[in-house]
Amino acid sequence: MPETLDSPYGTGFVDLHAHTNESDGSLTPAELVALAKNSDLAALAVTDHDTFSGYEKALPQAKAAGLPLVRGIELNTRLYVNGGRSHRSVHLLAYFLHGEPSHQFTDWLNEEREHRRLRNRLLAEALQARGMHVTVEEAEARGRVLTGRPHFARVLIEKGYAASFEDAFRRFLGEDAPTYVQRKSKTTDEVIAIVRHAGGIPVIAHPVRLGLQRDAERDLLLRFKQAGLVGLEIYHSEHTPELQAHYRQLAAELDLLPTGGSDFHGNIKPGVRLGTGADGNVRVPASFLDRMWAFTNNG
Ligand code: AMP
Ligand code: FE
Ligand code: FE
Ligand code: ZN
């Protein structure tokens, strides 16, 4: 294989983190592609939670529109803290720039979706135990192949139990809420290895949500790097310009590839726009994607 190959992504800006209604976004895959095209993006990665079906459904439209489409996914992982006494959830993005992941990987995804379904049943029970009339079926009716907490949030809002998405997450669905249910997950280190083994590029999503002090954050990312981590999401709708600069520097220091995206969910997250994030805080150069592409060719 030659040392360098021409990148298919060209110049301009890309968005490497977006959801369709195959997971918890509100736009169909075709609508997302049309929006990316209208937003003049040079490429788009579809990164639904636990499923490639949004990416696969978007492919024909993207081909017709001449929009390079990247196969991505957002995975749930578990991070043990306090010396293993407790754990929290960390999101890992995975990008497959060259072909499909192995059957082993897609079989594992099936198990992950099963864990999600179990979590959804337990979440409904937890809400019912607190006197709320919310069922799994009602949440599922608001999603498509995959039901997530945002679908529960919708039911809670529609039934008057919560005033908004933020309210629903703060009081019932978020990690600090009394009815929070953590699904079964592999550890972040394990999922990083699984993604690498399947030929993907693992990237820590929205590192701001790790909620760590600078030293602890650096140590943890160094550990993930040793486990095979390749990239760090430096642009994200929840990253202020200061945080973006911080993560850019950290990525350079730790020899991680910088990536970025809006984490667009359509009207589920109304303040977030495809390509530009919240108040224009996301602007991801196509060169980021070129470096990822070169990594899968040479790395
Ligand atoms: P799940 O994959 O079902 O555990 O749901 C996670 C999704 O819920 C995230 O990807 C976001 O789309 C959404 N989410 C998580 N925390 C919040 C929050 N505090 N406010 C609004 N949406 C959230
Ligand atoms: Fe989501
Ligand atoms: Fe996420
Ligand atoms: Zn996301």
Side-chain angles (χ1 to χ4, degrees):
M1 194 185 282
E3 266 301 289
T4 50
L5 297 169
D6 285 342
S7 155
Y9 299 111
T11 55
F13 296 96
V14 301
D15 194 324
L16 302 178
H17 191 162
H19 297 264
T20 75
N21 67 352
E22 293 292 306
S23 71
D24 57 359
S26 66
L27 296 193
T28 65
E31 287 166 345
L32 184 68
V33 166
L35 181 61
K37 202 61 196 164
N38 286 336
S39 313
D40 271 334
L41 290 179
L44 169 74
V46 178
T47 56
D48 279 315
H49 302 278
D50 299 342
T51 178
F52 289 120
S53 78
Y55 165 81
E56 281 158 4
K57 289 191 175 164
L59 257 184
Q61 270 88 12
K63 283 213 171 101
L67 176 76
L69 198 69
V70 174
R71 178 192 289 270
I73 197 160
E74 186 168 15
L75 302 162
N76 202 57
T77 76
R78 179 178 288 196
L79 176 68
Y80 286 93
V81 289
N82 295 330
R85 286 190 297 279
S86 53
H87 52 75
R88 36 175 308 147
S89 144
V90 171
H91 284 174
L92 191 78
L93 291 159
Y95 298 98
F96 295 85
L97 278 77
H98 287 275
E100 295 176 27
S102 59
H103 277 292
Q104 205 183 353
F105 185 81
T106 47
D107 287 349
W108 173 70
L109 279 184
N110 276 327
E111 288 172 35
E112 288 298 295
R113 289 193 290 266
E114 196 46 54
H115 295 149
R116 169 184 285 279
R117 284 190 279 272
L118 176 61
R119 188 281 312 262
N120 288 345
R121 286 206 296 278
L122 296 174
L123 176 56
E125 282 172 20
L127 294 170
Q128 288 157 12
R130 293 209 149 213
M132 282 166 276
H133 299 280
V134 171
T135 64
V136 170
E137 289 73 19
E138 286 169 317
E140 281 172 351
R142 282 150 185 86
R144 285 173 56 82
V145 295
L146 185 143
T147 304
R149 286 180 285 161
H151 303 112
F152 279 91
R154 275 204 179 159
V155 179
L156 288 164
I157 294 165
E158 284 168 26
K159 295 199 162 186
Y161 296 121
S164 64
F165 269 89
E166 283 62 41
D167 189 42
F169 273 89
R170 192 174 48 77
R171 286 164 58 214
F172 306 117
L173 306 172
E175 253 179 300
D176 299 322
T179 39
Y180 176 71
V181 178
Q182 162 89 275
R183 67 195 249 202
K184 189 175 168 216
S185 289
K186 294 208 179 287
T187 66
T188 314
D189 301 69
E190 285 169 329
V191 180
I192 288 170
I194 288 171
V195 170
R196 282 301 290 277
H197 189 73
I201 295 182
V203 172
I204 293 290
H206 39 65
V208 63
R209 291 210 210 142
L210 294 170
L212 294 173
Q213 300 294 316
R214 296 281 153 107
D215 281 357
E217 179 184 69
R218 196 177 189 287
D219 289 350
L220 184 66
L221 289 172
L222 204 53
R223 190 184 97 195
F224 290 160
K225 163 94 183 169
Q226 278 152 9
L229 184 70
V230 174
L232 186 68
E233 192 173 52
I234 72 167
Y235 285 103
H236 184 272
S237 301
E238 291 168 30
H239 289 176
T240 59
E242 292 72 29
L243 272 175
Q244 183 260 114
H246 162 67
Y247 288 122
R248 181 188 291 265
Q249 197 190 337
L250 200 53
E253 256 175 58
L254 302 180
D255 194 23
L256 292 168
L257 293 182
T259 79
S262 59
D263 206 356
F264 180 77
H265 281 72
N267 67 17
I268 307 282
K269 292 186 182 175
V272 174
R273 299 180 63 173
L274 188 70
T276 56
D279 299 323
N281 66 347
V282 170
R283 217 56 186 132
V284 186
S287 61
F288 282 16
L289 187 53
D290 285 337
R291 289 177 66 183
M292 294 161 74
W293 193 81
F295 177 86
T296 5
N297 272 288
N298 305 321

mmCIF file of all heavy atoms in Angstrom, residues 78-81 187-190 192 216-229 254:
data_model
loop_
_atom_site.group_PDB
_atom_site.id
_atom_site.type_symbol
_atom_site.label_atom_id
_atom_site.label_comp_id
_atom_site.label_asym_id
_atom_site.label_seq_id
_atom_site.Cartn_x
_atom_site.Cartn_y
_atom_site.Cartn_z
ATOM 1 N N ARG A 78 -18.684 2.060 30.488
ATOM 2 C CA ARG A 78 -18.729 2.263 31.938
ATOM 3 C C ARG A 78 -17.339 2.589 32.470
ATOM 4 O O ARG A 78 -16.368 1.904 32.148
ATOM 5 C CB ARG A 78 -19.251 0.989 32.593
ATOM 6 C CG ARG A 78 -19.314 1.076 34.096
ATOM 7 C CD ARG A 78 -19.873 -0.195 34.668
ATOM 8 N NE ARG A 78 -21.304 -0.326 34.423
ATOM 9 C CZ ARG A 78 -22.080 -1.182 35.083
ATOM 10 N NH1 ARG A 78 -21.563 -1.992 35.998
ATOM 11 N NH2 ARG A 78 -23.373 -1.244 34.824
ATOM 12 N N LEU A 79 -17.297 3.636 33.268
ATOM 13 C CA LEU A 79 -16.028 4.043 33.878
ATOM 14 C C LEU A 79 -16.141 3.907 35.392
ATOM 15 O O LEU A 79 -17.036 4.496 36.005
ATOM 16 C CB LEU A 79 -15.723 5.503 33.515
ATOM 17 C CG LEU A 79 -14.471 6.096 34.164
ATOM 18 C CD1 LEU A 79 -13.209 5.432 33.611
ATOM 19 C CD2 LEU A 79 -14.423 7.603 33.941
ATOM 20 N N TYR A 80 -15.258 3.091 35.967
ATOM 21 C CA TYR A 80 -15.265 2.950 37.427
ATOM 22 C C TYR A 80 -14.512 4.113 38.056
ATOM 23 O O TYR A 80 -13.449 4.502 37.580
ATOM 24 C CB TYR A 80 -14.650 1.616 37.840
ATOM 25 C CG TYR A 80 -15.598 0.472 37.555
ATOM 26 C CD1 TYR A 80 -15.529 -0.225 36.359
ATOM 27 C CD2 TYR A 80 -16.600 0.157 38.465
ATOM 28 C CE1 TYR A 80 -16.432 -1.236 36.071
ATOM 29 C CE2 TYR A 80 -17.506 -0.856 38.188
ATOM 30 C CZ TYR A 80 -17.417 -1.549 36.993
ATOM 31 O OH TYR A 80 -18.321 -2.527 36.713
ATOM 32 N N VAL A 81 -15.088 4.662 39.117
ATOM 33 C CA VAL A 81 -14.454 5.783 39.818
ATOM 34 C C VAL A 81 -14.409 5.459 41.312
ATOM 35 O O VAL A 81 -14.937 4.416 41.746
ATOM 36 C CB VAL A 81 -15.221 7.115 39.569
ATOM 37 C CG1 VAL A 81 -15.016 7.575 38.134
ATOM 38 C CG2 VAL A 81 -16.701 6.977 39.866
ATOM 39 N N THR A 187 -16.468 -1.784 30.105
ATOM 40 C CA THR A 187 -15.727 -0.602 30.525
ATOM 41 C C THR A 187 -15.243 0.175 29.296
ATOM 42 O O THR A 187 -15.173 -0.378 28.184
ATOM 43 C CB THR A 187 -14.485 -0.966 31.372
ATOM 44 O OG1 THR A 187 -13.565 -1.671 30.524
ATOM 45 C CG2 THR A 187 -14.847 -1.815 32.572
ATOM 46 N N THR A 188 -14.893 1.430 29.518
ATOM 47 C CA THR A 188 -14.404 2.268 28.424
ATOM 48 C C THR A 188 -13.181 1.621 27.785
ATOM 49 O O THR A 188 -13.080 1.544 26.552
ATOM 50 C CB THR A 188 -14.044 3.670 28.965
ATOM 51 O OG1 THR A 188 -15.104 4.119 29.816
ATOM 52 C CG2 THR A 188 -13.861 4.663 27.824
ATOM 53 N N ASP A 189 -12.238 1.133 28.613
ATOM 54 C CA ASP A 189 -11.028 0.492 28.077
ATOM 55 C C ASP A 189 -11.395 -0.708 27.200
ATOM 56 O O ASP A 189 -10.812 -0.907 26.138
ATOM 57 C CB ASP A 189 -10.105 0.032 29.228
ATOM 58 C CG ASP A 189 -9.676 1.191 30.117
ATOM 59 O OD1 ASP A 189 -10.552 1.722 30.827
ATOM 60 O OD2 ASP A 189 -8.502 1.581 30.076
ATOM 61 N N GLU A 190 -12.367 -1.507 27.654
ATOM 62 C CA GLU A 190 -12.773 -2.682 26.868
ATOM 63 C C GLU A 190 -13.391 -2.281 25.529
ATOM 64 O O GLU A 190 -13.087 -2.887 24.495
ATOM 65 C CB GLU A 190 -13.798 -3.527 27.652
ATOM 66 C CG GLU A 190 -13.190 -4.341 28.776
ATOM 67 C CD GLU A 190 -14.262 -4.958 29.692
ATOM 68 O OE1 GLU A 190 -15.356 -4.368 29.871
ATOM 69 O OE2 GLU A 190 -13.997 -6.039 30.243
ATOM 70 N N ILE A 192 -12.960 0.482 23.848
ATOM 71 C CA ILE A 192 -11.895 1.023 22.988
ATOM 72 C C ILE A 192 -11.213 -0.135 22.251
ATOM 73 O O ILE A 192 -11.005 -0.088 21.028
ATOM 74 C CB ILE A 192 -10.863 1.823 23.831
ATOM 75 C CG1 ILE A 192 -11.481 3.149 24.282
ATOM 76 C CG2 ILE A 192 -9.572 2.065 23.039
ATOM 77 C CD1 ILE A 192 -10.655 3.908 25.324
ATOM 78 N N ALA A 216 -6.628 14.884 36.711
ATOM 79 C CA ALA A 216 -7.313 13.590 36.641
ATOM 80 C C ALA A 216 -7.753 13.300 35.216
ATOM 81 O O ALA A 216 -7.684 12.160 34.740
ATOM 82 C CB ALA A 216 -8.516 13.595 37.582
ATOM 83 N N GLU A 217 -8.185 14.343 34.530
ATOM 84 C CA GLU A 217 -8.638 14.200 33.146
ATOM 85 C C GLU A 217 -7.481 13.732 32.254
ATOM 86 O O GLU A 217 -7.621 12.808 31.455
ATOM 87 C CB GLU A 217 -9.160 15.560 32.675
ATOM 88 C CG GLU A 217 -9.639 15.608 31.252
ATOM 89 C CD GLU A 217 -10.041 17.029 30.880
ATOM 90 O OE1 GLU A 217 -9.148 17.908 30.781
ATOM 91 O OE2 GLU A 217 -11.239 17.266 30.704
ATOM 92 N N ARG A 218 -6.325 14.375 32.443
ATOM 93 C CA ARG A 218 -5.138 14.035 31.654
ATOM 94 C C ARG A 218 -4.716 12.585 31.923
ATOM 95 O O ARG A 218 -4.440 11.825 30.986
ATOM 96 C CB ARG A 218 -4.015 14.998 32.025
ATOM 97 C CG ARG A 218 -2.890 15.024 31.054
ATOM 98 C CD ARG A 218 -1.860 16.075 31.474
ATOM 99 N NE ARG A 218 -0.881 16.256 30.412
ATOM 100 C CZ ARG A 218 0.050 15.371 30.131
ATOM 101 N NH1 ARG A 218 0.159 14.258 30.838
ATOM 102 N NH2 ARG A 218 0.894 15.593 29.146
ATOM 103 N N ASP A 219 -4.681 12.210 33.190
ATOM 104 C CA ASP A 219 -4.285 10.838 33.556
ATOM 105 C C ASP A 219 -5.223 9.815 32.921
ATOM 106 O O ASP A 219 -4.784 8.783 32.422
ATOM 107 C CB ASP A 219 -4.305 10.655 35.077
ATOM 108 C CG ASP A 219 -3.172 11.418 35.750
ATOM 109 O OD1 ASP A 219 -2.282 11.914 35.025
ATOM 110 O OD2 ASP A 219 -3.191 11.529 36.996
ATOM 111 N N LEU A 220 -6.528 10.123 32.988
ATOM 112 C CA LEU A 220 -7.502 9.172 32.446
ATOM 113 C C LEU A 220 -7.360 9.036 30.930
ATOM 114 O O LEU A 220 -7.366 7.922 30.390
ATOM 115 C CB LEU A 220 -8.926 9.629 32.809
ATOM 116 C CG LEU A 220 -10.031 8.667 32.377
ATOM 117 C CD1 LEU A 220 -9.930 7.355 33.145
ATOM 118 C CD2 LEU A 220 -11.411 9.294 32.603
ATOM 119 N N LEU A 221 -7.205 10.169 30.240
ATOM 120 C CA LEU A 221 -7.068 10.117 28.777
ATOM 121 C C LEU A 221 -5.785 9.392 28.376
ATOM 122 O O LEU A 221 -5.753 8.676 27.378
ATOM 123 C CB LEU A 221 -7.129 11.526 28.181
ATOM 124 C CG LEU A 221 -8.519 12.164 28.244
ATOM 125 C CD1 LEU A 221 -8.466 13.622 27.810
ATOM 126 C CD2 LEU A 221 -9.529 11.404 27.378
ATOM 127 N N LEU A 222 -4.754 9.558 29.179
ATOM 128 C CA LEU A 222 -3.499 8.848 28.932
ATOM 129 C C LEU A 222 -3.722 7.340 29.052
ATOM 130 O O LEU A 222 -3.229 6.542 28.254
ATOM 131 C CB LEU A 222 -2.460 9.327 29.945
ATOM 132 C CG LEU A 222 -0.992 9.180 29.578
ATOM 133 C CD1 LEU A 222 -0.692 9.802 28.223
ATOM 134 C CD2 LEU A 222 -0.128 9.842 30.657
ATOM 135 N N ARG A 223 -4.495 6.961 30.059
ATOM 136 C CA ARG A 223 -4.805 5.538 30.241
ATOM 137 C C ARG A 223 -5.613 5.023 29.046
ATOM 138 O O ARG A 223 -5.335 3.942 28.521
ATOM 139 C CB ARG A 223 -5.600 5.350 31.541
ATOM 140 C CG ARG A 223 -5.758 3.890 31.922
ATOM 141 C CD ARG A 223 -6.625 3.740 33.142
ATOM 142 N NE ARG A 223 -7.993 3.433 32.772
ATOM 143 C CZ ARG A 223 -9.023 3.541 33.615
ATOM 144 N NH1 ARG A 223 -8.833 3.980 34.851
ATOM 145 N NH2 ARG A 223 -10.223 3.213 33.214
ATOM 146 N N PHE A 224 -6.607 5.797 28.611
ATOM 147 C CA PHE A 224 -7.414 5.384 27.449
ATOM 148 C C PHE A 224 -6.529 5.272 26.211
ATOM 149 O O PHE A 224 -6.705 4.388 25.378
ATOM 150 C CB PHE A 224 -8.544 6.392 27.179
ATOM 151 C CG PHE A 224 -9.638 6.388 28.208
ATOM 152 C CD1 PHE A 224 -10.492 7.485 28.343
ATOM 153 C CD2 PHE A 224 -9.847 5.304 29.058
ATOM 154 C CE1 PHE A 224 -11.518 7.494 29.276
ATOM 155 C CE2 PHE A 224 -10.876 5.305 30.003
ATOM 156 C CZ PHE A 224 -11.708 6.408 30.113
ATOM 157 N N LYS A 225 -5.576 6.185 26.089
ATOM 158 C CA LYS A 225 -4.649 6.149 24.937
ATOM 159 C C LYS A 225 -3.876 4.829 24.963
ATOM 160 O O LYS A 225 -3.676 4.183 23.925
ATOM 161 C CB LYS A 225 -3.719 7.358 25.023
ATOM 162 C CG LYS A 225 -2.482 7.284 24.194
ATOM 163 C CD LYS A 225 -2.640 7.933 22.839
ATOM 164 C CE LYS A 225 -1.363 7.739 22.029
ATOM 165 N NZ LYS A 225 -1.504 8.095 20.658
ATOM 166 N N GLN A 226 -3.444 4.434 26.153
ATOM 167 C CA GLN A 226 -2.720 3.166 26.258
ATOM 168 C C GLN A 226 -3.622 1.983 25.910
ATOM 169 O O GLN A 226 -3.156 0.954 25.421
ATOM 170 C CB GLN A 226 -2.128 3.013 27.669
ATOM 171 C CG GLN A 226 -0.822 3.777 27.805
ATOM 172 C CD GLN A 226 -0.538 4.252 29.224
ATOM 173 O OE1 GLN A 226 -1.252 3.872 30.168
ATOM 174 N NE2 GLN A 226 0.479 5.073 29.383
ATOM 175 N N ALA A 227 -4.941 2.147 26.155
ATOM 176 C CA ALA A 227 -5.891 1.076 25.804
ATOM 177 C C ALA A 227 -6.220 1.070 24.312
ATOM 178 O O ALA A 227 -6.925 0.190 23.832
ATOM 179 C CB ALA A 227 -7.170 1.241 26.631
ATOM 180 N N GLY A 228 -5.730 2.096 23.572
ATOM 181 C CA GLY A 228 -5.962 2.113 22.128
ATOM 182 C C GLY A 228 -6.774 3.292 21.616
ATOM 183 O O GLY A 228 -7.117 3.344 20.428
ATOM 184 N N LEU A 229 -7.085 4.243 22.499
ATOM 185 C CA LEU A 229 -7.855 5.410 22.056
ATOM 186 C C LEU A 229 -7.093 6.144 20.957
ATOM 187 O O LEU A 229 -5.872 6.295 21.028
ATOM 188 C CB LEU A 229 -8.101 6.361 23.242
ATOM 189 C CG LEU A 229 -8.989 7.573 22.917
ATOM 190 C CD1 LEU A 229 -10.426 7.119 22.676
ATOM 191 C CD2 LEU A 229 -8.953 8.603 24.049
ATOM 192 N N LEU A 254 -1.200 14.596 23.986
ATOM 193 C CA LEU A 254 -1.340 13.155 24.181
ATOM 194 C C LEU A 254 -1.293 12.386 22.861
ATOM 195 O O LEU A 254 -1.516 11.177 22.835
ATOM 196 C CB LEU A 254 -2.655 12.837 24.913
ATOM 197 C CG LEU A 254 -2.836 13.504 26.285
ATOM 198 C CD1 LEU A 254 -4.163 13.103 26.907
ATOM 199 C CD2 LEU A 254 -1.699 13.122 27.221
#
